[in-house]
C-alpha cells in the first residue's frame, strides 16, 4: 500500500508525493522501458516514486536490490535525466527501510531530500542539494539535535529557511544565503540560550512595548517556524509559546538586505481564535 505526504513547494501550492519505499509502484523502468519490471541484467527493481523537477528535466529513481542471505536489501535513490532515463548521480542509499520525499526548488536548480527510517520516528533528516555545473552538490549543514527538519526556499533560490524540530527544545529556524557559490549561515533571529521565549525576543526587537511576559519562564512549548517567502527577500515567521502564564502566538515579517542582514518590518499578534484554528489544522 502506498503512503503519501503533502509537500509544499515554496509558493506554488501543495502536491501529493508517493514515497512508498517498500512496495514498488508500476512505473516505467529506465533500463527496459517496460512497466513494473526489472532490468534482466540487474538485480534490482526501479521506479520513479518522487516528483520530477518543475522544468521536467530531472526525476528521482528509487530502487531496491535483491535480498541478501540475511534478508536485507539496499534501498537506493538516484537522480536521472527524465527524458532518457540516464542515471546522473547517486543521491542516497540505506540498508534499512526508508521513506524518501523530495522538495524541488521553483527553478529546478535545487532540492531538499527528506529521509525517514520506517518504524523509527526520530530517525529523520533533511539534506539540501544545489546545482553545481552538471551535478547537484550537497550543502553541508551543521549537526543538530532536531528529530526532523524542513526547508523553505526563497523564490530566487539565493536563500532558504531551515526549520529544525526538536522534542526537547522546541522548533527554531536558521537562514542560509548563497554567496560566491557558497552557502553561508546568516545571523539567527533569536538567541536560543536566552531565558526568554523566541516569541518574546522577536516581539521586543519589533517594539520594546511588546513585553510578552507570559510564558517566558520554563515554557511548555517554544516554537519558531518559517512559513513562507512572500518575495525573494521577505519571509513570514510563526512564533508560539505556551506555559503556566498562558498561550500566545504572532506572525513576524522579516526582510533581508543583499548582505543577508534582516530586520522585522511587521508583527501580527494572533488572537485566541486564530491560534485555536491553527491548532485544529494541525490535528
Amino acid at each position: 500500500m502506498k503512503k503519501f505526504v503533502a509537500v509544499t513547494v515554496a509558493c506554488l501550492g501543495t502536491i501529493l508525493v508517493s514515497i512508498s519505499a517498500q512496495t514498488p509502484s508500476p512505473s516505467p523502468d529506465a533500463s527496459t522501458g517496460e512497466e513494473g519490471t526489472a532490468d534482466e541484467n540487474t538485480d534490482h527493481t526501479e521506479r520513479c516514486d518522487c516528483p520530477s523537477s518543475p522544468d521536467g528535466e530531472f526525476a528521482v529513481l528509487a530502487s531496491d536490490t535483491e535480498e541478501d542471505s540475511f534478508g536485507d536489501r539496499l534501498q537506493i535513490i538516484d537522480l536521472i535525466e527524465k527524458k532518457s532515463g540516464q542515471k546522473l548521480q547517486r543521491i542516497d542509499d540505506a540498508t534499512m527501510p526508508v521513506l524518501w520525499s523530495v522538495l524541488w526548488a521553483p527553478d529546478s536548480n535545487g532540492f531538499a531530500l527528506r529521509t525517514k527510517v520506517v518504524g523509527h520516528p526520530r530517525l529523520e533528516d533533511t539534506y539540501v542539494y544545489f546545482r553545481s555545473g552538471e551535478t547537484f552538490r550537497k550543502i553541508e549543514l551543521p549537526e543538530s539535535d532536531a528529530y526532523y527538519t524542513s526547508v523553505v526556499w526563497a523564490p530566487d533560490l539565493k536563500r532558504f529557511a531551515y526549520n529544525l524540530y526538536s522534542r526537547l527544545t522546541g522548533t527554531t529556524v536558521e537562514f542560509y544565503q548563497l554567496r560566491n557559490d557558497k552557502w553561508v549561515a546568516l545571523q539567527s533571529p533569536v538567541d536560543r540560550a536566552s531565558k526568554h521565549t523566541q516569541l518574546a525576543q522577536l516581539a521586543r526587537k519589533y517594539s520594546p512595548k511588546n513585553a510578552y511576559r507570559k510564558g517566558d519562564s520554563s515554557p511548555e512549548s517554544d516554537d519558531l517556524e518559517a512559513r513562507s517567502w512572500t518575495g525573494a527577500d521577505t519571509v513570514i515567521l510563526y512564533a508560539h509559546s505556551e506555559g503556566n502564564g498562558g498561550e500566545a502566538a504572532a506572525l513576524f515579517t522579516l526582510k533581508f538586505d543583499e548582505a543577508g542582514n534582516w530586520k522585522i518590518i511587521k508583527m501580527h499578534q494572533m488572537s485566541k481564535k486564530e491560534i485555536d484554528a491553527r491548532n485544529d489544522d494541525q490535528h
Side-chain angles (χ1 to χ4, degrees):
M1 180 179 181
K2 285 187 178 181
K3 295 183 179 180
F4 293 86
V5 293
V7 177
T8 303
V9 183
C11 298
L12 300 183
T14 301
I15 58 177
L16 287 178
V17 181
S18 168
I19 57 171
S20 174
Q22 292 179 296
T23 306
S25 58
S27 56
D29 180 82
S31 302
T32 66
E34 298 178 1
E35 288 194 359
T37 60
D39 190 322
E40 294 179 357
N41 297 320
T42 65
D43 63 348
H44 60 279
T45 55
E46 300 177 338
R47 62 205 179 274
C48 290
D49 276 348
C50 296
S52 302
S53 57
D55 63 6
E57 183 176 353
F58 305 106
V60 174
L61 185 71
S63 62
D64 299 333
T65 61
E66 294 293 334
E67 290 187 356
D68 59 21
S69 59
F70 297 99
D72 297 324
R73 63 176 66 194
L74 183 65
Q75 300 186 67
I76 300 168
I77 184 167
D78 293 305
L79 186 72
I80 67 171
E81 183 182 55
K82 186 176 180 181
K83 185 176 182 180
S84 67
Q86 178 185 0
K87 293 181 181 178
L88 303 178
Q89 66 184 99
R90 175 69 53 84
I91 299 299
D92 197 20
D93 54 46
T95 56
M96 59 187 71
V98 173
L99 300 178
W100 286 292
S101 60
V102 176
L103 172 63
W104 281 97
D107 71 350
S108 303
N109 281 327
F111 63 89
L113 173 71
R114 177 179 288 180
T115 64
K116 178 180 180 180
V117 178
V118 176
H120 296 273
R122 293 191 179 188
L123 297 182
E124 298 187 24
D125 215 336
T126 300
Y127 306 94
V128 183
Y129 289 80
F130 194 75
R131 192 168 187 175
S132 178
E134 298 299 319
T135 62
F136 286 79
R137 183 177 59 192
K138 183 162 67 174
I139 301 171
E140 297 299 328
L141 299 174
E143 293 186 2
S144 70
D145 63 353
Y147 71 95
Y148 77 91
T149 55
S150 67
V151 170
V152 186
W153 292 99
D156 64 354
L157 289 192
K158 293 182 179 180
R159 299 184 186 93
F160 66 85
Y162 191 50
N163 292 317
L164 299 98
Y165 306 86
S166 173
R167 296 185 187 276
L168 298 177
T169 59
T171 305
T172 193
V173 63
E174 298 173 353
F175 290 99
Y176 292 83
Q177 178 169 314
L178 184 63
R179 186 179 298 160
N180 297 325
D181 293 326
K182 292 183 178 180
W183 287 93
V184 297
L186 302 180
Q187 181 182 2
S188 174
V190 294
D191 178 7
R192 293 290 282 169
S194 172
K195 65 179 180 179
H196 300 300
T197 64
Q198 299 174 98
L199 169 61
Q201 292 181 58
L202 290 178
R204 287 169 180 159
K205 288 177 181 178
Y206 178 72
S207 172
K209 296 180 181 179
N210 289 292
Y212 270 104
R213 295 291 179 185
K214 292 183 179 181
D216 273 9
S217 179
S218 300
E220 296 175 6
S221 65
D222 178 18
D223 300 310
L224 179 64
E225 178 183 5
R227 300 185 70 180
S228 64
W229 292 82
T230 58
D233 58 0
T234 310
V235 66
I236 304 296
L237 298 184
Y238 168 76
H240 172 270
S241 67
E242 183 176 4
N244 295 331
E247 181 180 20
L251 298 176
F252 297 90
T253 303
L254 267 64
K255 188 176 181 65
F256 293 83
D257 61 20
E258 292 185 2
N261 302 310
W262 55 266
K263 64 178 180 180
I264 303 172
I265 61 173
K266 185 178 180 180
M267 172 184 168
H268 168 67
Q269 184 174 350
M270 298 178 69
S271 65
K272 186 179 186 305
K273 183 178 180 180
E274 290 176 307
I275 296 174
D276 291 342
R278 178 177 172 82
N279 291 338
D280 290 340
D281 289 341
Q282 292 180 330
H283 296 305

